[in-house]
Amino acid sequence: MDIEIATVVFDCSDPKALSEFWESATGLEVADEEDDWVLLADPEVEDGGGIQLGFQLVPERKSVKNRLHLDLYAHGVEETAEWMQSLGAVRLWVSDDPDDIFITLADPEGNEFCVVEAAPEDEPEDEPEDVDDADDELLLSHEGLDEQE
């Protein structure tokens, strides 16, 4: 049996507003939108592959703790959590375990999620090992863009 997890769906009272928060937070883009449904997907992945986030209108509001939540891996948990808060998230809890660094937040409708410190081996390398002249030029132009931001 070939099963693939494709979409994580959030029940919510305002699919458009909640999808805008998650679109900003993840970089996913709107792939489908109706009055009672919004689907976010990775624009780099064709044919709906990769993880997608769906937001469906339901009449009731969230009332208890999630039984399922997203873990978002990032380098610099504190900075990432602060940025998520600037988008509308609310800080709920901070792990005090130095071997398991994460911060629990809630999105604008109260759905809990965690920002987890990514493993050091997941950090992007400063420079690729085998870089030819064309790649050097591209890398330098990208670094220049980063400095302007």
Side-chain angles (χ1 to χ4, degrees), residues 48-68:
I51 295 292
Q52 302 175 87
L53 299 179
F55 304 88
Q56 69 182 1
L57 179 65
V58 296
E60 68 279 353
R61 296 194 56 83
K62 180 181 175 297
S63 61
V64 296
K65 183 182 181 309
N66 293 14
R67 294 192 52 149
L68 171 81

Side-chain angles (χ1 to χ4, degrees), residues 3-17:
I3 298 174
E4 177 182 344
I5 296 174
T7 307
V8 176
V9 178
F10 291 79
D11 289 350
C12 55
S13 62
D14 189 343
K16 181 163 178 49

Side-chain angles (χ1 to χ4, degrees), residues 104-125:
T104 303
L105 299 115
D107 71 18
E109 289 211 12
N111 300 298
E112 295 94 357
F113 64 96
C114 294
V115 177
V116 180
E117 186 64 42
E121 61 268 11
D122 292 339
E123 287 187 32
E125 294 181 22

Side-chain angles (χ1 to χ4, degrees), residues 1 5 9 17 27 44 55 65 69 85 94 97 119 138-140 146:
M1 188 173 296
I5 296 174
V9 178
E44 302 292 320
F55 304 88
K65 183 182 181 309
H69 70 269
Q85 288 176 268
V94 179
D97 181 348
L138 183 62
L139 187 62
L140 290 173
D146 287 344

Side-chain angles (χ1 to χ4, degrees), residues 3 6 24 27 55 66 74 78 84-85 88 90 108 114 124 128 143 147 149:
I3 298 174
S24 295
F55 304 88
N66 293 14
E78 185 59 44
M84 300 287 284
Q85 288 176 268
V90 175
C114 294
E143 288 171 354
E147 291 169 5
E149 291 179 358

Side-chain angles (χ1 to χ4, degrees), residues 123-138:
E123 287 187 32
E125 294 181 22
D126 289 335
E127 189 170 325
E129 290 179 21
D130 295 324
V131 178
D132 63 18
D133 290 339
D135 288 340
D136 275 340
E137 189 174 310
L138 183 62

